[in-house]
Amino acid sequence: MATAQALFRTCPRTGLQFHKSAESLIKLNAVAAVVTLLVGGLLALLLVLTRWQAIHLIDADNFYLYLTAHGLDMLVAWIIFFEIAILYFCSSTLLRCRLATPRIAWLAFALMVIGTVTYNVAIFSGSATVMMTSYVPMPAHPAFYLGLILFAVGALIGCFVFLGTLVVAKAEKTYEGSIPLVTFGALTACIIAIFTIASGAIILIPTWLWSVGYIKHIDPAMYRVIWWAFGHSSQQINVSAHVAVWYAIAAIVFGARPMSERVSRTAFFLYICFLQLASAHHILADPAVGTEWKIFNTSYAMYLAVLASMIHGLTVPGAIEVAQREKGFTKGMFEWLRKAPWGNPVFSGMFISLLGFGFLGGISGVMMGTEQLNMIIHNTIYVPGHFHATVVLGTTLAFMAITYFLLPTLFNREMILPGWAKWQPYVFGIGMGVFTLAMMGAGTLGVPRRHWDITFAGASLPYEYPGTALLMLAICGISGVIAVIGGAMYIIITVGTLLFGKKLDAGAYTTSITPLRLPVQAALSGHGGHGGGFAAPGTFVLALVFLTAFVLYYFVNWKYLSTVWGLS
Amino acid sequence: MSAILPPQQRIWWKQPIDKVELIWITIAFVWCMVMFFMMPYWHVYGRQNLSPETYRVKPELFQRAAQEMADKYTVRTETDEKIPVVAPPAGSDVYLIARLWSFWPILELKKGETYRLHLSSMDYQHGFSLQPENINVQVLPGYQHVITIQPNRSGSYAIVCNEFCGIGHHKMVSRLYVKD
C-alpha cells in the first residue's frame, strides 16, 4: 500500500533519488540544525569576547548561563538534528527506497523540537545554569532534564526509523549486494546512538525524578560514570557520521572508491565495539574508581578506537589520491593534492575537517585519555580546546561541506554568493584551528575551563596566571571571532540560498523507483591488490608526518608530567 | 565502486587489502601498543600517579577531621576572613575542604616531604587545580580522596577551582605554601 503511494523524484544533476516524505524530513531536520547553530553561534561570540580578558564583555551570571546554552545547542541540537538528516539521507536516498514510517519520523522531529525548546526555556529563565554535564548534586529545573529526555527520545525514534528504512530497502530489493560504505558508516553512528541514548536515559531519568523530589540522593561518582557513557559516546556518533560524510564527499567530488571495503568497514566496526568503554577517560582524575579500571578501559578500548580513526585518516585521503591518480594527476607525491578542487567548498571543507580532526582533535584526545597525563589537563581549557577540534573543526565543518552539495541537490536552489562559499571553509577552519591551539596552549598553562575571570578580581587570595596565558586567551578571542564570522558566512549562504537562490529543475515526482544506473566500470577495477605497488604514496607520507607529530607530542607531555610533584 | 554505492564485489570482506593500508595499520597498531604499555609502565617506574584510595565520608566528619588538624597545627591566619594557615608535620594526614566558594584551610608544607592529602567537598563537585604546577583532580562530595603528595619546589602556589560550582566559582581560589 504505502509503496504504491510513495512519490519519488530523481535529481537531474546528480541522479540521486529522493522519496518525498524523506526529502521533507531531511530538509526540516537540516533547517532545525542550522537554526540552533545560529543560536549557538551568537552565544559563542559573546563567550569568546568574555574570556578574552581585555574585553570581558558579559557578566558572570549570563556568562555561565550562555555557556550552558551554547554547549547544549551546539553539541546536542545542531549536531543531532543534522545527523538525523544524514541518517535519512544515507538510508532512503542512497538505497533508493521509501522512508519507513514517515509519520513516526515526524513524531521524532516534533519531540526533538519540543525538547530543544523546553531545555532552552529552562536555561534562559535562569534556573538551569548547570553546564552541559549538569553534574549532581548541583540542581537544575526539572524542565531542563525533561527537555533533554524528550530530545533523546525523539532522536532514538529517528534511529529506529533509519533501521526500519534499511529493512524496507532490503525487503523491497532496491539495491544489490551490501549497503554502501557511507550507509554502513551511518549505521555505525546509529548503533552507537542507540546505546548512548540508553546510557543517557539510565542517568537522566533518575536525575529528573531527583529534581522533582521523588528520589532523595544521586551518587555523584555514579552520575559521572554513567553520564560519560552517554556524554562521550555521543561524540562518537559524530565521529562515525562525519567520517561517513568524508567518504561521501570523496565519492561525490572525485568518484573515489574506498581503497578496501574490508578495511574501512572493519574500522567502523571497531568504533561500535570499543567506544562505550573509552568514555572512562573522563573519570581519570576522579576518586572512587580504581586504577586498573581506568587503565583497562582507556588503554584497551580507547586505543582500538584510535586505531580505527587512524585507519580512516589514511583510507579517506588515500581513496582520493587513487581516484586522482587514475585521472592522470600522477606527477610526484602530491600533484593529486595540489590539483584538487580547492575552490570547491565541498572538498576544501571536508579536507580541512579531516586535517583538523586528525592533527588537533585526535592527538589531543589521546593525551587527555592517558591516565597520568590527564592530571595535567583535566578540567583545564585544554579540554574544550580538544573537543572544539573534534566536533567543530571535525564534525561541524564536515556537515557544512556536505551542505554545499545538498543545497542544489536536495533543496533545488542555486547557491547564492559562490565567492563567499569558496572562502567560508577557510575562514571557519583557520579561525577554529588557531582557536583550538590557543585554548590548548592556555590549558597547558593551567587556565581552567568554564571560568568567567581568570584574573580573580575581588578574590581574597589572588593569583596571577603568567602573561602568556592571557595572551593565549586574547588569541582565542581573535580567532574565535574569525571562526564566528566563518559560521555566519555559512548561515548567510545557506539561509540566503533557501530564500533567494535561483530555483533549479527538481525533476518530476513519480510513483515508481528509478533503478540504480550503475556507471560503467570496465576500466576501473577494485583497488584491492594494486599488483603489490603503493597505491597512495602521497597519503602515506602525510600519514607518517601525522605519526611523527603524534609521537613527539605524546612524549613531550610525559616529559612535562615528570617535572611536577611526586604523587601516588 | 563508489562509497555511496553498494560494494562492487558482493563478498566485500574478501577483497584484498592494499599494501599501503596494511603497512599503515601495522604501524598504527604498534603505536597503540606503545601507548597501551605507557600507563602501567608509569605506575611501576614513574612518580606521578593518582592514588585510587578513596573512602565514603559524611561532610560533618570530614570537616571535623580538618578542624582537628587546624586546631593542632595552625601557625597564623591570613586575609580578613582569618583563614588559618596550617603547617602539619611531614608524613601526616592533611585535610583540604572544598565548599561554595572557598578551600579551607591554607596548607603550609615542606619541600621534599610527603603528605597524605585528603580531599573532599561539603556540597557540590569542585576541582582541585594546583597552579602553576598544573595538577588537576576532581573533588566529589561524599567521598574523600587520599593522595600522597611530595612537593618538589618551594614557593607560593594557588589552588583554583576548575569545576563549575555556581555563581561564585571564579572566586574560589586559595593558596598553598611550600617551604624549604
Side-chain angles (χ1 to χ4, degrees):
Chain A
M1 273 297 281
T3 323
Q5 289 159 353
L7 288 173
F8 298 91
R9 75 170 177 91
T10 303
C11 170
R13 288 165 295 284
T14 56
L16 289 171
Q17 179 195 275
F18 293 94
H19 171 222
K20 198 170 181 192
S21 305
E23 191 184 11
S24 319
L25 282 156
I26 296 170
K27 283 180 181 173
L28 266 179
N29 278 287
V31 168
V34 172
V35 170
T36 49
L37 181 71
L38 172 65
V39 176
L42 288 174
L43 296 171
L45 183 64
L46 298 174
L47 296 173
V48 293
L49 290 179
T50 304
R51 290 223 67 170
W52 183 355
Q53 288 285 160
I55 295 187
H56 209 47
L57 186 67
I58 49 180
D59 62 14
D61 297 41
N62 281 321
F63 173 78
Y64 294 126
L65 189 155
Y66 295 165
L67 190 56
T68 306
H70 171 74
L72 283 156
D73 282 339
M74 292 302 217
L75 274 169
V76 175
W78 145 249
I79 286 181
I80 295 181
F81 271 123
F82 206 99
E83 277 163 358
I84 296 291
I86 288 177
L87 288 186
Y88 294 163
F89 178 85
C90 289
S91 53
S92 144
T93 306
L94 292 185
L95 299 179
R96 305 189 153 251
C97 69
R98 65 187 171 86
L99 188 76
T101 61
R103 280 198 190 154
I104 294 179
W106 276 97
L107 171 71
F109 179 73
L111 281 173
M112 287 165 73
V113 171
I114 295 168
T116 309
V117 172
T118 308
Y119 76 68
N120 269 296
V121 168
I123 294 170
F124 282 98
S125 70
S127 51
T129 303
V130 289
M131 301 294 144
M132 163 89 178
T133 44
S134 57
Y135 289 140
V136 299
M138 180 183 282
H141 191 277
F144 173 81
Y145 305 107
L146 187 64
L148 287 179
I149 293 167
L150 290 177
F151 185 94
V153 171
L156 192 60
I157 294 173
C159 289
F160 285 116
V161 171
F162 167 80
L163 293 177
T165 308
L166 295 189
V167 173
V168 166
K170 189 94 196 158
E172 295 175 3
K173 297 194 174 64
T174 59
Y175 65 99
E176 282 176 12
S178 303
I179 55 175
L181 177 62
V182 173
T183 310
F184 190 87
L187 177 62
T188 305
C190 173
I191 292 169
I192 297 173
I194 290 170
F195 64 61
T196 296
I197 294 171
S199 305
I202 292 172
I203 200 61
L204 281 175
I205 292 173
T207 308
W208 174 56
L209 293 173
W210 166 76
S211 72
V212 292
Y214 282 116
I215 289 179
K216 263 228 163 78
H217 176 74
I218 294 198
D219 186 85
M222 183 192 77
Y223 179 92
R224 290 173 63 84
V225 172
I226 304 174
W227 198 91
W228 281 112
F230 158 74
H232 198 86
S233 312
S234 67
Q235 304 318 309
Q236 247 63 45
I237 311 171
N238 312 338
V239 175
S240 308
H242 78 228
V243 172
V245 167
W246 291 346
Y247 280 114
I249 290 177
I252 290 162
V253 177
F254 299 96
R257 295 151 292 155
M259 297 176 79
S260 155
E261 294 275 357
R262 176 158 61 154
V263 169
S264 298
R265 286 175 197 239
T266 308
F268 274 122
F269 188 63
L270 287 175
Y271 283 152
I272 299 178
C273 293
F274 298 110
L275 280 163
Q276 191 78 339
L277 296 168
S279 309
H281 72 266
H282 285 274
I283 311 150
L284 291 174
D286 275 31
V289 245
T291 302
E292 296 81 1
W293 186 89
K294 289 173 180 175
I295 293 185
F296 177 80
N297 283 316
T298 52
S299 66
Y300 145 82
M302 198 176 76
Y303 295 144
L304 289 175
V306 167
L307 181 67
S309 288
M310 286 173 81
I311 293 172
H312 290 305
L314 179 91
T315 56
V316 174
I320 294 175
E321 179 171 357
V322 173
Q324 286 280 77
R325 282 180 186 276
E326 278 169 0
K327 288 194 191 91
F329 298 111
T330 49
K331 244 185 268 158
M333 282 288 184
F334 295 111
E335 195 197 16
W336 63 276
L337 193 58
R338 269 202 325 276
K339 298 279 172 70
W342 291 101
N344 177 355
V346 182
F347 165 73
S348 63
M350 171 258 160
F351 208 80
I352 298 169
S353 156
L354 190 146
L355 290 179
F357 178 80
F359 278 87
L360 302 178
I363 294 178
S364 61
V366 169
M367 300 310 137
M368 305 195 321
T370 306
E371 193 214 357
Q372 294 94 342
L373 297 182
N374 184 268
M375 267 189 293
I376 53 173
I377 292 169
H378 178 75
N379 269 351
T380 65
I381 201 170
Y382 191 101
V383 178
H386 156 73
F387 70 69
H388 279 78
T390 55
V391 294
V392 186
L393 212 43
T395 309
T396 297
L397 191 50
F399 290 178
M400 286 173 169
I402 194 96
T403 310
Y404 295 123
F405 167 74
L406 291 177
L407 287 175
T409 311
L410 175 67
F411 291 94
N412 300 306
R413 296 275 186 168
E414 192 180 294
M415 202 197 299
I416 61 159
L417 302 170
W420 283 36
K422 197 171 161 181
W423 285 104
Q424 190 273 333
Y426 295 97
V427 176
F428 187 76
I430 292 168
M432 197 34 79
V434 174
F435 177 78
T436 58
L437 279 170
M439 267 191 164
M440 289 177 207
T444 306
L445 296 166
V447 173
R449 69 190 293 197
R450 298 167 169 175
H451 203 279
W452 176 64
D453 178 20
I454 65 153
T455 63
F456 306 108
S460 53
L461 290 160
Y463 172 67
E464 267 182 43
Y465 277 97
T468 329
L470 293 173
L471 175 70
M472 288 288 171
L473 291 183
I475 297 174
C476 269
I478 296 164
S479 52
V481 170
I482 295 172
V484 169
I485 292 171
M489 286 164 77
Y490 167 78
I491 288 175
I492 292 168
I493 295 164
T494 49
V495 176
T497 298
L498 295 193
L499 297 178
F500 311 113
K502 200 179 108 196
K503 278 197 179 155
L504 298 170
D505 173 27
Y509 285 100
T510 63
T511 50
S512 61
I513 293 176
T514 324
L516 192 60
R517 289 189 311 267
L518 290 179
V520 185
Q521 290 285 341
L524 308 175
S525 59
H527 290 305
H530 251 253
F534 234 47
T539 302
F540 189 69
V541 170
L542 287 180
L544 290 181
V545 171
F546 168 78
L547 186 76
T548 312
F550 197 165
V551 173
L552 284 177
Y553 188 64
Y554 184 72
F555 286 111
V556 163
N557 274 279
W558 280 106
K559 175 76 188 138
Y560 172 36
L561 178 80
S562 73
T563 64
V564 306
W565 290 8
L567 295 146
S568 56
Chain B
M1 197 53 45
S2 155
I4 55 171
L5 297 172
Q8 195 169 27
Q9 282 154 310
R10 277 189 82 100
I11 320 257
W12 53 263
W13 58 91
K14 287 197 177 162
Q15 194 185 345
I17 300 172
D18 259 343
K19 202 168 155 191
V20 61
E21 287 181 305
L22 204 59
I23 294 172
W24 176 245
I25 292 169
T26 312
I27 295 172
F29 186 73
V30 169
W31 172 236
C32 289
M33 286 300 106
V34 171
M35 296 193 292
F36 184 114
F37 285 111
M38 267 313 280
M39 288 188 260
Y41 167 85
W42 202 262
H43 270 280
V44 178
Y45 299 103
R47 296 187 62 251
Q48 292 81 13
N49 292 289
L50 206 53
S51 161
E53 188 180 347
T54 310
Y55 308 95
R56 275 185 193 279
V57 67
K58 288 206 160 49
E60 312 84 78
L61 292 179
F62 190 84
Q63 189 165 5
R64 196 184 302 160
Q67 189 66 54
E68 276 169 21
M69 172 192 73
D71 291 344
K72 263 197 233 167
Y73 303 117
T74 298
V75 288
R76 62 180 185 278
T77 61
E78 282 192 5
T79 76
D80 297 343
E81 292 117 70
K82 304 250 181 294
I83 307 170
V85 178
V86 181
S92 67
D93 288 272
V94 299
Y95 294 83
L96 188 66
I97 293 174
R99 64 153 76 93
L100 303 174
W101 283 285
S102 62
F103 292 96
W104 190 93
I106 296 172
L107 298 170
E108 189 171 282
L109 309 176
K110 276 214 167 69
K111 181 184 154 188
E113 302 292 346
T114 58
Y115 299 86
R116 279 166 57 79
L117 174 66
H118 296 242
L119 289 172
S120 190
S121 160
M122 298 292 109
D123 36 51
Y124 294 165
Q125 301 196 22
H126 296 285
F128 169 92
S129 176
L130 187 74
Q131 296 303 331
E133 200 64 13
N134 206 11
I135 294 170
N136 304 279
V137 181
Q138 192 79 15
V139 185
L140 301 186
Y143 289 93
Q144 72 172 307
H145 194 180
V146 190
I147 309 159
T148 305
I149 54 167
Q150 190 182 24
N152 60 7
R153 270 182 293 268
S154 54
S156 168
Y157 291 84
I159 301 170
V160 177
C161 176
N162 66 3
E163 183 59 75
F164 175 72
C165 54
I167 189 62
H169 167 53
H170 50 272
K171 287 194 179 170
M172 189 166 166
V173 53
S174 180
R175 198 162 282 176
L176 184 148
Y177 296 103
V178 178
K179 298 261 155 153
D180 274 317

